[in-house]
């Protein structure tokens, strides 16, 4: 390889490196001006989540939930979708309740109002809805949605625990059973079709196969 070729390859490498450095510097300037997050904010970027502990000229560092440090180049960070949880004003909470088949019609009908009364009685949440919305494979499924009036995760979990315990107590009081996964096994009887259910398809001659 001649000096000219070596110089050209080296120049390209330097240009690419310079481009990356300038990209990170401009991204750092953008972070400082636009402030999509600040030190101390809890953010999620792709499958990484943690608290921002440093914003530099080239990189931003997060402290992960497990204590590990996660380092992003600023250019890579701004090309990603960032979820800033510190700036949440409220949390939307949705969960399923699975009720056992065999529950009486009166109980099935009463459950949404029962859940609404439990959640609406709290000053720290806004109730949205509770509906019986699906016949599941092994349960009658209800979907419940409410909004917790704070971004604080620990307070949100405390509130959800209290709501679930109140629903549990109400179900016990009313004799409503939660569903458990199950499967039904049917034992063939003496008069069942040969080969079991469903009956085998007729042969071309019209008779069932033996």
């Amino acid at each position: 390889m001649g000096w000219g070729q070596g110089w050209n390859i080296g120049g390209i490498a330097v240009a690419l490196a310079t481009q990356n450095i300038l990209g990170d510097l401009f991204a750092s300037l953008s972070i400082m001006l636009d402030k999509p997050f600040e030190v101390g904010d809890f953010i999620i970027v792709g499958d990484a989540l943690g608290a921002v502990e440093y914003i530099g000229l080239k990189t931003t560092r997060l402290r992960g939930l497990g204590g590990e440090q996660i380092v992003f180049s600023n250019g890579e960070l701004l090309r990603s979708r960032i979820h800033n949880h510190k700036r949440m004003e409220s949390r939307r909470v949705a969960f399923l309740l699975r009720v056992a088949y065999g529950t009486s019609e009166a109980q099935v009908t009463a459950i949404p109002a029962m859940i609404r009364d439990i959640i609406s009685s709290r000053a720290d949440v806004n109730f949205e809805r509770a509906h019986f919305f699906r016949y599941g494979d092994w349960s009658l499924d209800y979907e419940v949605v409410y909004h917790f009036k704070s971004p604080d995760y620990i307070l949100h979990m405390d509130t959800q625990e209290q709501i679930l315990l109140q629903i549990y107590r109400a179900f016990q009081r009313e004799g409503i059973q939660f569903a458990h996964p199950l499967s039904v096994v049917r034992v063939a009887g003496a008069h069942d079709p040969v080969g079991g259910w469903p009956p085998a398809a007729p042969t071309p001659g019209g008779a069932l196969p033996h």
Side-chain angles (χ1 to χ4, degrees):
M1 179 183 297
W3 283 105
Q5 289 178 308
W7 175 254
N8 289 339
I9 294 174
I12 292 172
V14 170
L16 290 175
T18 302
Q19 182 180 13
N20 290 335
I21 292 171
L22 289 176
D24 287 331
L25 290 175
F26 282 124
S28 174
L29 180 62
S30 177
I31 291 171
M32 292 176 184
L33 293 176
D34 292 341
K35 298 186 185 303
F37 54 83
E38 299 175 299
V39 172
D41 287 3
F42 186 89
I43 66 174
I44 298 176
V45 184
D47 58 356
L49 63 164
V52 179
E53 65 176 16
Y54 174 80
I55 303 172
L57 293 177
K58 182 169 175 54
T59 64
T60 292
R61 303 169 197 168
L62 311 184
R63 183 62 59 181
L65 294 180
E68 75 281 10
Q69 188 179 73
I70 306 169
V71 181
F72 291 95
S73 71
N74 289 328
E76 175 191 2
L77 194 57
L78 286 191
R79 287 192 296 270
S80 304
R81 180 169 295 176
I82 302 169
H83 301 262
N84 191 332
H85 279 237
K86 188 176 180 181
R87 298 183 184 178
M88 292 172 57
E89 295 182 358
S90 64
R91 286 180 178 270
R92 183 180 186 271
V93 183
F95 62 90
L96 293 180
L97 288 176
R98 302 184 188 275
V99 176
Y101 278 106
T103 301
S104 72
E105 180 184 349
Q107 290 173 322
V108 168
T109 304
I111 286 173
M114 186 187 308
I115 295 171
R116 180 192 63 221
D117 292 344
I118 289 171
I119 297 177
S120 297
S121 66
R122 301 186 60 93
D124 54 357
V125 301
N126 286 325
F127 174 77
E128 182 176 313
R129 60 185 176 84
H131 289 100
F132 171 39
F133 82 110
R134 181 175 65 194
Y135 292 101
D137 291 337
W138 43 269
S139 61
L140 305 172
D141 296 342
Y142 291 78
E143 186 174 51
V144 182
V145 181
Y146 67 86
H147 297 265
F148 181 60
K149 300 178 183 179
S150 168
D152 189 289
Y153 185 76
I154 300 299
L155 292 178
H156 145 65
M157 289 302 297
D158 288 343
T159 297
Q160 181 165 302
E161 179 183 55
Q162 292 163 14
I163 288 172
L164 293 178
L165 286 173
Q166 285 184 279
I167 292 173
Y168 188 88
R169 296 184 190 114
F171 277 26
Q172 280 194 319
R173 187 170 58 249
E174 299 298 327
I176 299 172
Q177 297 292 319
F178 288 99
H180 302 282
L182 55 85
S183 58
V184 177
V185 178
R186 187 179 188 279
V187 179
H191 302 290
D192 285 340
V194 176
W197 290 92
T203 61
L208 289 173
H210 296 289

